[in-house]
């Protein structure tokens, strides 16, 4: 009797009835989640796999073939395939991370913020600028904000911002050339 009810739900869901699809979701969600979790052993990934399996069921509702008047077998196979994809993607990501060089002694971002860092010539040159000019360089050249937005944030006119930015860039260039020459003579 239950399988006949499922066939009717599926026919309605395949005809774009979201209420019938929701009933199918309620009926099979727990089973698909348990299956995904048994494969992946990670709750978050199992939730993602479950959601993806049902999304695919909805997307492909015109082509899904029922087995013994049930969508459950199709959902289980789809969840298995999605879980395999998650496992492969995870393995690729772990291999990528393992292949990256590990600096070992690099300070953490917190340490740099609290204790400072060994400033390179660029940071020293930026540090020699006036605070407003530093803000302009950071907002426009580092963060990519338009000069109009930087001017507004600093409460100066666009013209003033353009002149200050031009002068700050020239001072940076000169300071970096000087720093480069000092390194070359050392």
């Amino acid at each position: 009797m239950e399988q006949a009810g499922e066939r009717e739900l599926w026919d309605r869901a395949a005809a774009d009835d979201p209420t019938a699809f929701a009933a199918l979701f309620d009926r099979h969600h727990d089973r698909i989640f348990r299956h995904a979790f048994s494969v992946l052993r990670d709750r978050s990934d199992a939730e993602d796999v479950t959601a993806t399996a049902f999304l695919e069921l909805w997307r492909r509702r015109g082509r899904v073939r029922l087995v013994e008047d049930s969508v459950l077998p199709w959902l289980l196979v789809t969840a298995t395939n999605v879980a395999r994809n998650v496992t492969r993607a995870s393995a690729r990501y772990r291999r990528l991370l393992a292949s990256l060089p590990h600096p070992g002694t690099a300070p953490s971002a917190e340490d740099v913020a609290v204790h400072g860092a060994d400033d390179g010539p660029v940071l020293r040159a930026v540090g020699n600028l006036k605070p407003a000019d530093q803000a302009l360089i950071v907002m426009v050249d580092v963060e990519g904000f338009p000069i109009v937005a930087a001017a507004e944030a600093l409460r100066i006119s666009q013209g003033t911002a353009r002149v200050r930015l031009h002068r700050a860039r020239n001072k940076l260039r000169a300071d970096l050339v000087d720093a480069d020459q000092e390194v070359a003579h050392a």
Side-chain angles (χ1 to χ4, degrees):
M1 181 71 178
E2 185 174 299
Q3 295 300 337
E6 183 160 333
R7 171 53 115 175
E8 177 189 337
L9 282 174
W10 177 247
D11 289 342
R12 288 181 19 224
D16 298 339
D17 180 350
T19 306
F21 189 82
L24 288 169
F25 177 85
D26 291 342
R27 183 175 287 190
H28 297 301
H29 172 270
D30 291 343
R31 178 86 182 264
I32 299 304
F33 174 81
R34 282 192 307 272
H35 173 68
F37 186 79
S38 73
V39 172
L40 298 167
R41 297 287 182 212
D42 181 90
R43 181 177 185 82
S44 179
D45 286 344
E47 289 170 351
D48 290 346
V49 166
T50 302
T52 301
F54 279 98
L55 174 65
E56 287 302 306
L57 178 65
W58 178 256
R59 281 180 4 107
R60 299 173 188 258
R61 65 190 174 281
R63 299 184 303 269
V64 170
R65 293 180 53 204
L66 302 186
V67 176
E68 297 180 1
D69 287 337
S70 177
V71 295
L72 183 59
W74 189 93
L75 283 167
L76 289 168
V77 168
T78 301
T80 299
N81 291 336
V82 173
R84 285 182 186 151
N85 290 343
V86 167
T87 301
R88 281 193 295 268
S90 222
R92 281 193 303 269
Y93 181 69
R94 283 192 304 276
R95 283 193 306 272
L96 171 69
L97 289 179
S99 73
L100 295 175
H102 298 284
T105 60
S108 69
E110 294 84 5
D111 287 341
V112 170
V114 172
H115 305 293
D118 178 26
D119 296 343
V122 174
L123 291 178
R124 280 194 297 273
V126 171
N128 291 335
L129 296 173
K130 295 177 185 173
D133 294 344
Q134 286 178 13
L136 272 171
I137 290 289
V138 168
M139 288 181 70
V140 175
D141 292 337
V142 176
E143 296 296 332
F145 284 97
I147 198 160
V148 174
E152 186 177 323
L154 293 171
R155 297 176 188 234
I156 58 177
S157 72
Q158 290 178 34
T160 301
R162 289 182 198 287
V163 169
R164 280 184 147 174
L165 185 62
H166 177 74
R167 288 180 182 161
R169 285 174 177 161
N170 284 341
K171 181 164 178 18
L172 281 176
R173 244 183 244 108
D175 287 353
L176 290 173
V177 166
D178 291 344
D180 192 39
Q181 288 174 352
E182 287 176 19
V183 170
H185 293 298

